[in-house]
Structures are given as structure tokens and as C-alpha cells.
Amino acid sequence: MKLVQPTCALEAKGSQSLFSCLTPEQLEKVKQHTCHFFKKGQPIFQEESVPTGVFCISEGLVKVTKLGSNGKEQILRIAKPGDFVGYKSLIKGSRYRASAIAIEDSSICHIPKAIFMELLHENVAFYQQIVHLLCEVIDNAESKLTDIAYKPVRGRIAEALLLLDKAFEDKEQITLTREDLAGLVGTVKETAIRIISEFKHEKLIEINKRSIKIINPDGLVKISHLYD
């Protein structure tokens, strides 16, 4: 793990909105954070470990995962540049309830617990933005649970591809593995592979080795909303 430019958290798309309410003095403290480079597949933190701070993604993508009772990995969400991970357990004062793993080479900044908690206690606007962020996470989790309960796998994969297309907006193709895609929508890899193949034959997507390019987003939207 090597050090990279220490101001990258403030340069990441989306993260500026959280930091925009800080005073100049508070901003200087945030700028003193440490940033690291994580290789694809390398964990940022692991389930049941003790939080030391929060992580802001500057470049790359991270999957937040949890092991189910069957030992299979369930992907809770995909975090993109500007997103924070690890803050819920830190605020709660508990061990991490999930793991965070780089799904491509990523630059990620670590803001120590003391600084983050100080910002929460001293800056009402920052506190409100974090509460808003937590509410969004809860809303997304509830929507995902509803989808898994009522929407067929075909619709869930179509929806997941559209969401991933936004996460990979700086790239032309989605490079998530079929196993990760299956974990994201709550199915098995074989089913994900079959449906991806169907989408290819229906000319909704193109496949280049392990990468996926959406060529008919309207068609995927129609499938994803078919059972809403």
C-alpha cells in the first residue's frame, strides 16, 4: 500500500458537498488525512474489525459486502468516487458489520475517527448532511429488500446494470464480475450468466470478455420496471 496525494478526498466527485459546510479551520484538519492506494481485490476494512475512521473514495470502486449464514457473499452496495464507507459502525460505536473491498485499483482516503466525530459534534450542518446520507442508505436498503422479495431476477439484473452504468460513468464498460453481479442482486452466478447472455442476444448489451457495455438502456429500464 503506497501513499498518494493527500488532498484527494476533497477532489473526489460528490465528496465536496459534504465538506462544503466546514469552516476553514475544520477543512484544514480534513486535509491532513492519509490516503492509500488499494489494488483490485484488496480489503479496505473487514467485517468484525474495529473502526479507526471513515474512508472516502477518490478514484475507483468499492463493494461493501456481508457474509450470509450460508457463507456466500452478499453485496450491499457499490461505492463510487465521492462516497464514504465505514461511517455507520463508527457512529454507532460498534465493530464493522460488513467488509469493504476494492473491485478495481482505487485511491481511498482515511479520515481518523477523532476528526470525524469532532466534525459531527461541532458542525451542525455537517451533522445534518451525515443524517441525510444515512437516511438515503436506509431508503436504498429498503428498496433493495423489496426488489429481492418481489422482483424477478431478470428485472433485478436489469436494474443493477443501469445502476452500475452510473457508477462506471467515467468508463465505457462495466467491469464487475458475474459473481459480484450475482451477489449484488441476491442470486447465484449461473443465473446471472444466463440472464446476461439473454440480454446480449436481445441486443440490450454488448460483451467484451468480462466487460459489459449497455447499448439499449431504455430496454433495460422497461425490464427493470416490468414488475414494479
Side-chain angles (χ1 to χ4, degrees):
M1 209 162 34
K2 62 181 181 180
L3 291 177
V4 294
Q5 184 63 31
T7 58
C8 58
L10 300 180
E11 297 168 1
K13 291 186 300 181
S15 64
Q16 295 99 326
S17 59
L18 278 176
F19 295 131
S20 62
C21 61
L22 301 185
T23 66
E25 294 77 13
Q26 291 170 336
L27 201 55
E28 281 302 313
K29 288 184 179 180
V30 173
K31 287 181 179 179
Q32 295 172 14
H33 62 258
T34 304
C35 292
H36 301 279
F37 178 75
F38 291 82
K39 294 290 290 182
K40 178 181 178 180
Q42 186 176 357
I44 290 86
F45 57 80
Q46 294 181 310
E47 193 171 345
E48 295 302 325
S49 60
V50 177
T52 59
V54 298
F55 298 86
C56 177
I57 301 165
S58 176
E59 296 178 355
L61 293 170
V62 169
K63 60 179 179 179
V64 180
T65 70
K66 187 173 181 63
L67 286 179
S69 56
N70 57 1
K72 290 187 177 180
E73 181 183 80
Q74 173 70 52
I75 297 181
L76 305 179
R77 69 185 180 103
I78 301 292
K80 60 186 184 301
D83 287 348
F84 287 81
V85 293
Y87 56 90
K88 295 192 297 296
S89 296
L90 188 70
I91 294 172
K92 186 179 177 182
S94 66
R95 292 177 180 269
Y96 286 123
R97 301 296 302 276
S99 300
I101 303 167
I103 56 177
E104 61 180 32
D105 292 352
S106 304
S107 293
I108 300 175
C109 303
H110 176 261
I111 300 174
K113 175 181 178 179
I115 292 177
F116 183 78
M117 298 305 291
E118 181 180 304
L119 294 176
L120 282 181
H121 288 107
E122 294 184 355
N123 190 309
V124 175
F126 183 76
Y127 173 85
Q128 291 174 336
Q129 291 197 77
I130 294 297
V131 170
H132 179 76
L133 186 60
L134 286 168
C135 290
E136 284 188 342
V137 170
I138 293 171
D139 287 345
N140 291 335
E142 289 176 346
S143 296
K144 186 173 181 178
L145 284 173
T146 302
D147 284 348
I148 290 175
Y150 298 107
K151 186 176 290 188
V153 179
R154 183 176 165 88
R156 301 205 303 267
I157 289 182
E159 184 175 30
L161 288 175
L162 292 167
L163 291 173
L164 288 168
D165 193 44
K166 292 182 179 179
F168 284 84
E169 61 182 347
D170 293 333
K171 305 172 180 63
E172 292 185 357
Q173 297 180 325
I174 299 168
T175 56
L176 198 70
T177 67
R178 305 299 184 267
E179 188 172 6
D180 280 345
L181 180 60
L184 183 61
V185 301
T187 188
V188 295
K189 182 173 71 172
E190 292 75 16
T191 300
I193 291 173
R194 175 177 57 80
I195 293 175
I196 287 296
S197 180
E198 291 175 0
F199 287 169
K200 177 185 176 182
H201 290 301
E202 293 167 21
K203 300 189 183 302
L204 299 170
I205 62 174
E206 290 179 350
I207 299 176
N208 180 17
K209 295 183 179 178
R210 294 188 176 185
S211 300
I212 298 171
K213 181 178 182 180
I214 295 178
I215 57 176
N216 184 357
D218 290 340
L220 289 177
V221 169
K222 184 176 181 180
I223 292 171
S224 71
H225 290 170
L226 190 60
Y227 298 93
D228 285 350

